[in-house]
Amino acid sequence: MGQLLTVNKLTGGYQRSRPVLHDISFSVNSHEIVGLIGLNGAGKSTTIKHILGLMEPHGGEVRLSGKTWAEGKDDYRRGLAYIPEMPLLYEEMTLWEHLELTAMAYGLEETVFKGRADELLKEFRMGKMVKWFPSHFSKGMRQKVMIMCALLIHPSLYVADEPFVGLDPIGIKSFLDRMVEMKRNGCGILMSTHILATAEKYCDRFVLLHNGQVLLQGTLKELQAQANMHGADLDEIYVEMTKEDQ
Amino acid sequence: MMIDEKKLWSRRKRGYWEMAIKYLKLIGNSGFLFTIYLLFVFGSYYYGQFLEWLPQTFPTTLFFTVIFTWLITRGRVRTFAKPGDLFFLTPCEGKLKNYFRSALRYSWMMETMWIALVMLVLSPLFFDRIHPSGSLVFSIIFLLSGLKLWNLAAGFEEQRLQEKNRYILHTFIRLGLTGVSVFALFSLQSVWFILGLALALILFYAGYFYRLSKLHSLKWERLVEIEDSTVMTFYRVANSFTDVPALKSKVRPRHLLSPLYRFVSYKKEHVYRYLFSRAFVRSSDYFGIYMRLTLLAILFLSVVQIDWGRWLLVVLFSYMTALQIETLKHHYATSKMVDLYPVSEGYKLKSHQFWILVLGSIQSLVFSVGLLIMYSPMDGLFGLGLTLIVYVYHSFIRLPKRYMV
């Protein structure tokens, strides 16, 4: 279980004078799903942006397979796939073109791409829509396109920001099944979500963010111990821990 | 709390103009002003010739009557009404007199401006065929403006009519009365006749249209509809020069252009080529502008008989087209996904250059074939060479600088 992603004493935000994240440290290993949990405004999305290399840290560092973004951005980016909270699609491209472009950008062989694409289209039941433009897609279908693009490229790390929003139950199940499979193959997955029951079922460890700081982290058992709430589920711990400073 | 109708009016007017000025600026920057200027220069040159060519039997009076009857009958009072007004303003409808008076005054001013503009553009024809006096033109503009005021006021009262067919019938009655009045003006009837006509119109308004306002309530839905269609017209015009988010021009597949995609084979280096090709062909109006500029250039080339004038046109239009394709650079500026691709930025410039050269070559062929058919093989060759020089300059010298910024 090598450390895939290490976030080390990360301080960051949009303005140097007003950092949003304070001294955040956690890691994601291969063969592991880590849940990133926190209230709205806790700093989840900012943390993710730092991991993606879209923002530069004020202090501390983010390493993917031992390298920071600045040390080699193309290598860094090839190692991860991002599933955003709001589907980011190109309005002027068809579903198939989204897949093809993604495959091209990540340097997949054309035959490999076609094989994987057909499989994904079947699994997510989007085979009939390959020539459709995003304006004809529902929110859930748009999300599926993002998920398929991410699954296509077989990265070592997946970063998923609220991936379930708008997905139908079958879509959620396909996504989670795939995540479990990827984990078995050696990937690491960082998933931010508000759906705690699902998180509790699928995540191996949790990082609980609050006001830009890591409040608790570890397996469910460890969280229970740290919060002194033995036998409590994730929901209860979450509510209890975030209640305090009111 | 009472609604301050004066403030409400000025706030809405300001809101509209802030939006409109933003678009007007963009239109001004898009090379449109320059086209207008060119049109003006060539137009004034050919205007005289056109007037000489126009046969003496041309029904000038009738022509003016039709144009101005249409200009004066069309258009209604702009109220800046919003859908929310159906809910929030209907309770104080009776207290909005001043609001609607401001609206009437505003619309009158704007419409008068248009009438004056059209009259000035047509004035050479007027001097040549109707009467050579300049002061007469101004008196006619003044009287036309008065007629417009009558139309706007009457038109505002007639929107109170619930039934669509009565509403349309009234518009037709106005059309008839306006037509008669405009004809009286352009056939230069006596002052007494015109005064009598004006008096009759005023009496008709006071005796009939004014009464409508006492009998019927405002039809807010119609006011909103009128406002909407006015704004939409503006958006549509603006949309031919720049992107109007409110119109969110639909993506058009344009299957006929798919052969262009063959220039993009499956290759990591071609990611930006791929993106640009789809953006150019399908999204907003890159392709539309490219076509319009190319056709407009051909049109201009067909009328300009001076050699150096044609060279200038070829250079100007190819450069304007190149500047439009240049804006593809920003098309994906807000897309986070592009930022995440493990693809070097250097490919972006190369792909952009590639498309500018491909599209430029196509345009140069169109220009040279056009010149060859209309003038001579020499002209065709010159056109080809000049267009290619412009595109090579743009893609290898100007564009890299844009990417440095």
Side-chain angles (χ1 to χ4, degrees), chain A residues 128-202:
Chain A
K128 281 188 198 134
M129 299 150 200
V130 284
K131 293 220 166 131
W132 289 22
F133 286 96
S135 54
H136 298 288
F137 289 156
S138 67
K139 168 79 172 48
M141 290 177 183
R142 287 172 157 253
Q143 188 65 355
K144 281 184 185 173
V145 179
M146 296 312 303
I147 290 170
M148 286 192 287
C149 286
L151 289 170
L152 191 63
I153 58 184
H154 287 198
S156 41
L157 177 74
Y158 287 92
V159 178
D161 196 355
E162 298 286 355
F164 310 125
V165 180
L167 280 188
D168 57 44
I170 295 174
I172 295 178
K173 188 173 171 347
S174 298
F175 172 72
L176 287 168
D177 288 350
R178 277 293 194 134
M179 286 296 121
V180 171
E181 187 192 327
M182 291 298 153
K183 169 181 140 176
R184 226 178 282 132
N185 293 345
C187 290
I189 294 141
L190 179 68
M191 188 163 73
S192 121
T193 182
H194 284 302
I195 305 174
L196 298 183
T198 312
E200 193 176 320
K201 220 160 112 194
Y202 284 88

Coordinates of all heavy atoms in Angstrom, one line a residue, chain A residues 128-202:
Chain A
K128 N -27.0 4.6 -26.9 CA -27.9 5.2 -27.9 C -27.6 6.7 -28.1 O -28.1 7.3 -29.0 CB -29.4 5.0 -27.6 CG -29.9 3.6 -27.9 CD -31.4 3.5 -27.6 CE -31.8 2.1 -27.5 NZ -32.7 1.9 -26.4
M129 N -26.9 7.2 -27.2 CA -26.8 8.7 -27.2 C -25.4 9.2 -27.7 O -25.1 10.4 -27.4 CB -27.0 9.2 -25.8 CG -28.4 8.9 -25.3 SD -28.4 8.7 -23.5 CE -29.9 7.7 -23.3
V130 N -24.6 8.4 -28.3 CA -23.3 8.8 -28.6 C -23.2 10.0 -29.5 O -22.3 10.8 -29.5 CB -22.4 7.7 -29.3 CG1 -22.0 6.6 -28.3 CG2 -23.2 7.0 -30.4
K131 N -24.3 10.2 -30.3 CA -24.2 11.4 -31.2 C -25.0 12.6 -30.7 O -25.2 13.6 -31.4 CB -24.8 11.0 -32.6 CG -23.9 10.0 -33.3 CD -23.8 10.2 -34.8 CE -22.7 9.4 -35.4 NZ -23.1 8.7 -36.6
W132 N -25.4 12.5 -29.5 CA -26.2 13.6 -28.9 C -25.3 14.7 -28.4 O -24.1 14.5 -28.0 CB -27.0 13.1 -27.7 CG -28.1 12.2 -28.0 CD1 -28.3 11.5 -29.2 CD2 -29.3 11.9 -27.2 NE1 -29.5 10.8 -29.1 CE2 -30.1 11.0 -27.9 CE3 -29.7 12.4 -25.9 CZ2 -31.3 10.6 -27.4 CZ3 -30.9 11.9 -25.4 CH2 -31.7 11.0 -26.2
F133 N -25.8 15.9 -28.4 CA -25.1 17.0 -27.8 C -25.6 17.2 -26.4 O -26.7 16.9 -26.0 CB -25.4 18.3 -28.6 CG -24.6 18.3 -30.0 CD1 -25.2 17.9 -31.1 CD2 -23.3 18.7 -30.0 CE1 -24.6 17.9 -32.3 CE2 -22.6 18.7 -31.2 CZ -23.2 18.3 -32.4
P134 N -24.7 17.8 -25.5 CA -25.1 17.9 -24.1 C -26.4 18.7 -23.8 O -27.0 18.4 -22.8 CB -23.9 18.8 -23.5 CG -22.8 18.5 -24.4 CD -23.4 18.3 -25.8
S135 N -26.8 19.5 -24.8 CA -28.1 20.3 -24.5 C -29.3 19.3 -24.4 O -30.3 19.7 -23.8 CB -28.3 21.3 -25.5 OG -28.3 20.7 -26.8
H136 N -29.1 18.1 -24.9 CA -30.2 17.1 -24.8 C -30.1 16.2 -23.6 O -30.9 15.4 -23.4 CB -30.3 16.3 -26.1 CG -30.5 17.0 -27.3 ND1 -31.7 17.6 -27.6 CD2 -29.7 17.4 -28.3 CE1 -31.6 18.2 -28.8 NE2 -30.4 18.1 -29.2
F137 N -29.1 16.4 -22.8 CA -28.8 15.5 -21.7 C -29.5 16.1 -20.4 O -29.5 17.3 -20.2 CB -27.3 15.4 -21.4 CG -26.6 14.5 -22.4 CD1 -25.3 14.7 -22.6 CD2 -27.3 13.6 -23.2 CE1 -24.6 13.9 -23.5 CE2 -26.6 12.8 -24.1 CZ -25.3 13.0 -24.3
S138 N -30.0 15.2 -19.5 CA -30.4 15.6 -18.2 C -29.2 15.8 -17.3 O -28.1 15.4 -17.7 CB -31.3 14.5 -17.6 OG -30.6 13.4 -17.4
K139 N -29.4 16.3 -16.1 CA -28.3 16.5 -15.2 C -27.6 15.2 -15.0 O -26.3 15.1 -15.0 CB -28.8 17.1 -13.9 CG -27.9 17.1 -12.7 CD -26.9 18.2 -12.8 CE -26.0 18.4 -11.6 NZ -25.4 17.2 -11.0
G140 N -28.3 14.1 -14.8 CA -27.7 12.8 -14.5 C -26.9 12.3 -15.6 O -25.8 11.8 -15.4
M141 N -27.4 12.5 -16.8 CA -26.7 12.0 -18.0 C -25.4 12.8 -18.2 O -24.3 12.2 -18.5 CB -27.5 12.2 -19.3 CG -28.7 11.3 -19.4 SD -29.6 11.7 -20.9 CE -31.0 10.6 -20.8
R142 N -25.4 14.1 -17.9 CA -24.2 14.9 -18.0 C -23.2 14.4 -17.0 O -22.0 14.2 -17.3 CB -24.5 16.4 -17.6 CG -25.3 17.1 -18.7 CD -25.8 18.4 -18.3 NE -26.0 19.2 -19.4 CZ -25.2 20.2 -19.8 NH1 -24.2 20.6 -19.1 NH2 -25.4 20.9 -20.9
Q143 N -23.7 14.0 -15.8 CA -22.7 13.5 -14.8 C -22.1 12.2 -15.3 O -21.0 11.9 -15.0 CB -23.5 13.4 -13.4 CG -22.6 13.0 -12.3 CD -21.6 14.2 -11.9 OE1 -21.5 15.2 -12.6 NE2 -20.9 14.0 -10.9
K144 N -23.0 11.4 -15.9 CA -22.5 10.1 -16.4 C -21.4 10.3 -17.4 O -20.4 9.6 -17.5 CB -23.6 9.3 -17.1 CG -24.5 8.6 -16.0 CD -25.5 7.8 -16.8 CE -26.5 7.2 -15.8 NZ -27.6 6.5 -16.5
V145 N -21.5 11.3 -18.3 CA -20.5 11.6 -19.3 C -19.1 11.9 -18.5 O -18.1 11.4 -18.9 CB -20.8 12.8 -20.2 CG1 -19.7 13.1 -21.2 CG2 -22.1 12.5 -20.9
M146 N -19.2 12.7 -17.5 CA -18.0 13.0 -16.7 C -17.4 11.8 -16.1 O -16.2 11.6 -16.2 CB -18.3 14.0 -15.6 CG -18.8 15.4 -16.0 SD -17.9 16.3 -17.2 CE -16.3 16.3 -16.6
I147 N -18.2 10.9 -15.6 CA -17.7 9.7 -15.0 C -17.1 8.8 -16.0 O -16.0 8.2 -15.8 CB -18.9 9.0 -14.2 CG1 -19.3 9.8 -13.0 CG2 -18.5 7.6 -13.8 CD1 -20.5 9.4 -12.3
M148 N -17.8 8.7 -17.2 CA -17.2 7.8 -18.2 C -15.8 8.3 -18.7 O -14.9 7.6 -18.9 CB -18.2 7.7 -19.4 CG -19.4 6.8 -19.1 SD -20.3 6.5 -20.6 CE -21.1 8.0 -20.8
C149 N -15.7 9.7 -18.8 CA -14.5 10.2 -19.2 C -13.4 9.9 -18.2 O -12.2 9.6 -18.6 CB -14.6 11.8 -19.4 SG -15.5 12.3 -20.9
A150 N -13.7 10.0 -16.9 CA -12.7 9.7 -15.9 C -12.3 8.2 -15.9 O -11.1 7.9 -15.8 CB -13.3 10.1 -14.5
L151 N -13.3 7.4 -16.1 CA -13.0 5.9 -16.0 C -12.2 5.5 -17.2 O -11.5 4.5 -17.2 CB -14.4 5.1 -15.9 CG -15.1 5.2 -14.6 CD1 -16.5 4.6 -14.7 CD2 -14.3 4.5 -13.5
L152 N -12.4 6.2 -18.3 CA -11.7 5.9 -19.6 C -10.2 5.8 -19.4 O -9.6 5.0 -20.1 CB -12.2 6.9 -20.6 CG -11.9 6.7 -22.1 CD1 -12.6 5.4 -22.6 CD2 -12.4 7.9 -22.9
I153 N -9.7 6.7 -18.7 CA -8.2 7.0 -18.7 C -7.4 6.2 -17.8 O -6.2 6.3 -17.8 CB -7.9 8.5 -18.6 CG1 -8.5 9.0 -17.3 CG2 -8.5 9.3 -19.8 CD1 -8.2 10.5 -17.1
H154 N -8.1 5.4 -16.9 CA -7.4 4.6 -15.9 C -6.2 5.3 -15.2 O -5.1 4.9 -15.4 CB -6.8 3.3 -16.6 CG -7.9 2.3 -17.0 ND1 -7.6 1.0 -17.3 CD2 -9.2 2.5 -17.1 CE1 -8.8 0.4 -17.5 NE2 -9.7 1.3 -17.4
P155 N -6.5 6.3 -14.5 CA -5.4 7.0 -13.8 C -5.1 6.3 -12.5 O -5.8 5.3 -12.1 CB -6.1 8.3 -13.4 CG -7.5 8.0 -13.2 CD -7.8 6.8 -14.1
S156 N -4.1 6.7 -11.8 CA -3.8 6.1 -10.5 C -4.7 6.7 -9.4 O -4.9 6.0 -8.4 CB -2.3 6.1 -10.1 OG -1.8 7.4 -10.5
L157 N -5.1 7.9 -9.5 CA -5.9 8.6 -8.5 C -7.2 9.1 -9.1 O -7.1 9.8 -10.1 CB -5.1 9.7 -7.8 CG -5.9 10.5 -6.7 CD1 -6.1 9.6 -5.5 CD2 -5.2 11.8 -6.4
Y158 N -8.3 8.9 -8.5 CA -9.6 9.5 -8.9 C -9.9 10.6 -7.8 O -9.8 10.3 -6.6 CB -10.7 8.5 -8.9 CG -10.7 7.6 -10.1 CD1 -10.0 6.4 -10.0 CD2 -11.3 7.9 -11.3 CE1 -10.0 5.5 -11.1 CE2 -11.2 7.1 -12.4 CZ -10.6 5.9 -12.3 OH -10.5 5.0 -13.3
V159 N -10.3 11.7 -8.3 CA -10.8 12.8 -7.3 C -12.2 13.0 -7.8 O -12.5 13.6 -8.8 CB -9.9 14.0 -7.4 CG1 -10.5 15.1 -6.5 CG2 -8.5 13.8 -7.1
A160 N -13.2 12.7 -6.9 CA -14.6 12.9 -7.2 C -15.2 13.8 -6.3 O -15.2 13.6 -5.0 CB -15.3 11.5 -7.2
D161 N -15.8 14.9 -6.8 CA -16.4 15.9 -6.0 C -17.9 15.7 -6.1 O -18.5 16.0 -7.1 CB -16.0 17.3 -6.5 CG -16.3 18.4 -5.5 OD1 -16.9 18.1 -4.4 OD2 -15.9 19.6 -5.8
E162 N -18.6 15.2 -5.0 CA -20.0 15.0 -5.0 C -20.5 14.3 -6.3 O -21.3 14.8 -7.0 CB -20.8 16.4 -4.9 CG -20.5 17.2 -3.7 CD -21.2 16.6 -2.5 OE1 -22.0 15.6 -2.6 OE2 -21.0 17.1 -1.4
P163 N -20.0 13.1 -6.5 CA -20.2 12.4 -7.8 C -21.7 11.9 -7.9 O -22.1 11.7 -9.0 CB -19.3 11.2 -7.8 CG -19.0 11.0 -6.4 CD -19.1 12.3 -5.7
F164 N -22.4 11.9 -6.9 CA -23.8 11.2 -7.0 C -24.9 12.2 -7.3 O -26.0 11.8 -7.6 CB -24.2 10.6 -5.6 CG -23.1 9.7 -5.1 CD1 -22.7 9.9 -3.8 CD2 -22.6 8.7 -5.8 CE1 -21.7 9.1 -3.3 CE2 -21.6 7.8 -5.3 CZ -21.2 8.0 -4.0
V165 N -24.6 13.5 -7.3 CA -25.7 14.5 -7.5 C -26.3 14.3 -8.9 O -25.7 14.3 -9.9 CB -25.1 15.9 -7.4 CG1 -26.2 16.9 -7.6 CG2 -24.5 16.1 -6.0
G166 N -27.6 14.0 -8.8 CA -28.4 13.9 -10.1 C -28.3 12.5 -10.7 O -29.0 12.3 -11.7
L167 N -27.5 11.6 -10.2 CA -27.5 10.3 -10.8 C -28.7 9.4 -10.3 O -29.2 9.6 -9.2 CB -26.2 9.6 -10.3 CG -24.9 9.9 -11.0 CD1 -23.8 8.9 -10.5 CD2 -25.0 9.8 -12.5
D168 N -29.2 8.6 -11.3 CA -30.2 7.7 -10.9 C -29.6 6.5 -10.1 O -28.4 6.3 -10.1 CB -31.0 7.2 -12.1 CG -30.1 6.5 -13.1 OD1 -29.3 5.7 -12.7 OD2 -30.3 6.8 -14.3
P169 N -30.5 5.7 -9.4 CA -29.9 4.6 -8.5 C -29.0 3.7 -9.3 O -28.0 3.3 -8.8 CB -31.2 3.9 -8.0 CG -32.3 4.9 -8.2 CD -31.9 5.8 -9.3
I170 N -29.4 3.4 -10.5 CA -28.5 2.4 -11.3 C -27.2 3.1 -11.6 O -26.1 2.5 -11.5 CB -29.2 2.0 -12.6 CG1 -30.5 1.2 -12.2 CG2 -28.3 1.2 -13.5 CD1 -31.3 0.8 -13.4
G171 N -27.2 4.4 -11.9 CA -26.0 5.1 -12.2 C -25.1 5.1 -11.0 O -23.9 4.9 -11.1
I172 N -25.7 5.4 -9.8 CA -24.9 5.4 -8.6 C -24.2 4.0 -8.3 O -23.0 3.9 -8.0 CB -25.8 5.8 -7.3 CG1 -26.3 7.2 -7.5 CG2 -25.0 5.6 -6.0 CD1 -27.2 7.7 -6.4
K173 N -25.0 3.0 -8.6 CA -24.5 1.6 -8.3 C -23.4 1.3 -9.3 O -22.3 0.9 -8.9 CB -25.6 0.6 -8.5 CG -25.1 -0.8 -8.0 CD -26.3 -1.8 -8.0 CE -25.8 -3.2 -7.8 NZ -24.4 -3.5 -7.9
S174 N -23.5 1.7 -10.6 CA -22.5 1.4 -11.6 C -21.2 2.2 -11.2 O -20.1 1.6 -11.2 CB -22.9 1.9 -12.9 OG -24.0 1.2 -13.4
F175 N -21.4 3.4 -10.7 CA -20.2 4.2 -10.4 C -19.5 3.6 -9.2 O -18.3 3.4 -9.2 CB -20.7 5.6 -10.0 CG -19.6 6.5 -9.5 CD1 -18.6 6.9 -10.3 CD2 -19.6 6.8 -8.1 CE1 -17.5 7.7 -9.8 CE2 -18.6 7.6 -7.6 CZ -17.5 8.1 -8.5
L176 N -20.3 3.2 -8.2 CA -19.6 2.7 -7.0 C -19.0 1.3 -7.3 O -17.9 1.1 -6.8 CB -20.6 2.6 -5.8 CG -21.0 3.9 -5.2 CD1 -22.2 3.8 -4.3 CD2 -19.9 4.5 -4.5
D177 N -19.7 0.5 -8.1 CA -19.1 -0.8 -8.4 C -17.7 -0.6 -9.1 O -16.7 -1.3 -8.8 CB -20.0 -1.6 -9.4 CG -21.2 -2.1 -8.6 OD1 -21.2 -2.0 -7.4 OD2 -22.2 -2.6 -9.3
R178 N -17.7 0.4 -10.0 CA -16.5 0.7 -10.7 C -15.4 1.2 -9.8 O -14.2 0.8 -9.9 CB -16.7 1.7 -11.8 CG -17.3 1.2 -13.1 CD -16.3 0.3 -13.8 NE -16.6 0.0 -15.1 CZ -15.8 0.1 -16.2 NH1 -14.6 0.4 -16.0 NH2 -16.2 -0.2 -17.4
M179 N -15.8 2.0 -8.9 CA -14.8 2.5 -7.9 C -14.2 1.4 -7.1 O -13.0 1.3 -6.9 CB -15.4 3.5 -7.0 CG -15.7 4.9 -7.6 SD -14.3 5.7 -8.1 CE -14.6 5.9 -9.8
V180 N -15.0 0.4 -6.7 CA -14.5 -0.7 -5.9 C -13.6 -1.5 -6.8 O -12.5 -1.9 -6.3 CB -15.7 -1.6 -5.4 CG1 -15.2 -2.9 -4.8 CG2 -16.5 -0.8 -4.4
E181 N -13.9 -1.7 -8.0 CA -13.1 -2.5 -8.9 C -11.7 -1.8 -9.1 O -10.7 -2.4 -9.1 CB -13.8 -2.6 -10.3 CG -13.2 -3.5 -11.3 CD -13.8 -3.4 -12.6 OE1 -15.0 -3.1 -12.7 OE2 -13.0 -3.5 -13.6
M182 N -11.8 -0.4 -9.3 CA -10.6 0.3 -9.5 C -9.7 0.3 -8.3 O -8.5 0.1 -8.4 CB -10.9 1.8 -9.8 CG -11.6 2.1 -11.1 SD -10.5 1.6 -12.5 CE -11.7 1.2 -13.7
K183 N -10.3 0.3 -7.1 CA -9.6 0.2 -5.9 C -8.9 -1.2 -5.8 O -7.7 -1.2 -5.5 CB -10.6 0.3 -4.7 CG -10.1 0.0 -3.4 CD -11.2 0.1 -2.3 CE -11.1 -1.0 -1.3 NZ -12.1 -0.9 -0.3
R184 N -9.6 -2.2 -6.2 CA -9.0 -3.5 -6.2 C -7.8 -3.6 -7.2 O -6.8 -4.2 -6.9 CB -10.0 -4.6 -6.6 CG -10.0 -5.8 -5.7 CD -11.1 -6.8 -6.1 NE -12.4 -6.4 -5.7 CZ -13.5 -6.4 -6.5 NH1 -13.4 -6.8 -7.7 NH2 -14.7 -6.1 -6.0
N185 N -7.9 -2.8 -8.3 CA -6.8 -2.8 -9.2 C -5.6 -2.0 -8.8 O -4.6 -1.8 -9.5 CB -7.3 -2.3 -10.6 CG -8.3 -3.2 -11.2 OD1 -8.4 -4.4 -10.8 ND2 -9.0 -2.7 -12.2
G186 N -5.8 -1.3 -7.7 CA -4.6 -0.5 -7.1 C -4.8 1.0 -7.2 O -3.8 1.7 -6.9
C187 N -5.9 1.5 -7.6 CA -6.1 2.9 -7.6 C -6.4 3.5 -6.2 O -6.8 2.7 -5.3 CB -7.3 3.3 -8.5 SG -7.0 3.0 -10.2
G188 N -6.2 4.8 -6.1 CA -6.7 5.5 -4.9 C -7.8 6.4 -5.3 O -7.8 6.9 -6.4
I189 N -8.8 6.5 -4.4 CA -9.9 7.4 -4.7 C -10.2 8.3 -3.6 O -10.3 7.9 -2.4 CB -11.2 6.5 -4.9 CG1 -10.9 5.6 -6.2 CG2 -12.4 7.3 -5.1 CD1 -11.5 4.2 -6.1
L190 N -10.3 9.6 -3.9 CA -10.6 10.6 -2.9 C -12.0 11.1 -3.3 O -12.2 11.6 -4.5 CB -9.6 11.8 -2.9 CG -10.0 12.9 -1.9 CD1 -9.8 12.4 -0.5 CD2 -9.1 14.1 -2.2
M191 N -13.0 11.0 -2.4 CA -14.4 11.3 -2.8 C -15.0 12.2 -1.8 O -15.0 12.0 -0.6 CB -15.1 10.0 -2.8 CG -16.5 10.1 -3.4 SD -17.2 8.5 -3.8 CE -17.5 7.8 -2.2
S192 N -15.4 13.4 -2.3 CA -16.1 14.3 -1.3 C -17.6 14.1 -1.5 O -18.1 14.0 -2.6 CB -15.7 15.7 -1.7 OG -16.8 16.5 -2.0
T193 N -18.2 14.0 -0.4 CA -19.7 13.8 -0.5 C -20.4 14.2 0.8 O -19.9 14.3 1.9 CB -20.0 12.3 -0.8 OG1 -21.4 12.1 -0.9 CG2 -19.5 11.4 0.3
H194 N -21.7 14.4 0.6 CA -22.6 14.7 1.8 C -23.5 13.5 2.1 O -24.1 13.5 3.1 CB -23.5 15.9 1.4 CG -22.9 17.2 1.5 ND1 -22.3 17.7 2.6 CD2 -22.8 18.1 0.5 CE1 -21.8 18.9 2.3 NE2 -22.0 19.2 1.1
I195 N -23.4 12.5 1.2 CA -24.3 11.3 1.4 C -23.5 10.4 2.3 O -22.8 9.5 1.9 CB -24.7 10.7 0.1 CG1 -25.4 11.8 -0.7 CG2 -25.7 9.5 0.3 CD1 -25.7 11.4 -2.1
L196 N -23.7 10.6 3.6 CA -22.8 9.9 4.6 C -23.0 8.4 4.7 O -22.1 7.6 4.9 CB -22.9 10.5 6.0 CG -22.5 12.0 5.9 CD1 -22.6 12.6 7.4 CD2 -21.1 12.2 5.4
A197 N -24.3 8.0 4.5 CA -24.6 6.6 4.6 C -23.8 5.8 3.5 O -23.2 4.8 3.8 CB -26.1 6.3 4.4
T198 N -23.8 6.4 2.3 CA -23.0 5.7 1.3 C -21.5 5.8 1.6 O -20.8 4.8 1.4 CB -23.3 6.4 -0.1 OG1 -24.7 6.6 -0.2 CG2 -22.7 5.7 -1.2
A199 N -21.1 6.9 2.0 CA -19.6 7.1 2.3 C -19.2 6.0 3.4 O -18.2 5.4 3.2 CB -19.4 8.5 2.9
E200 N -20.1 5.9 4.4 CA -19.7 4.9 5.5 C -19.6 3.5 4.9 O -18.7 2.8 5.3 CB -20.8 5.0 6.5 CG -20.5 4.3 7.8 CD -21.6 4.5 8.8 OE1 -22.2 5.6 8.9 OE2 -21.8 3.5 9.6
K201 N -20.4 3.2 3.9 CA -20.4 1.9 3.4 C -19.2 1.6 2.5 O -18.6 0.5 2.4 CB -21.7 1.7 2.5 CG -22.3 0.3 2.7 CD -23.8 0.3 2.3 CE -24.0 -0.5 1.0 NZ -25.3 -0.2 0.4
Y202 N -18.8 2.6 1.8 CA -17.7 2.4 0.7 C -16.3 2.9 1.1 O -15.4 2.4 0.5 CB -18.2 3.0 -0.6 CG -19.2 2.2 -1.3 CD1 -20.6 2.4 -1.0 CD2 -18.9 1.2 -2.2 CE1 -21.6 1.7 -1.7 CE2 -19.8 0.5 -2.9 CZ -21.2 0.7 -2.6 OH -22.1 0.0 -3.2

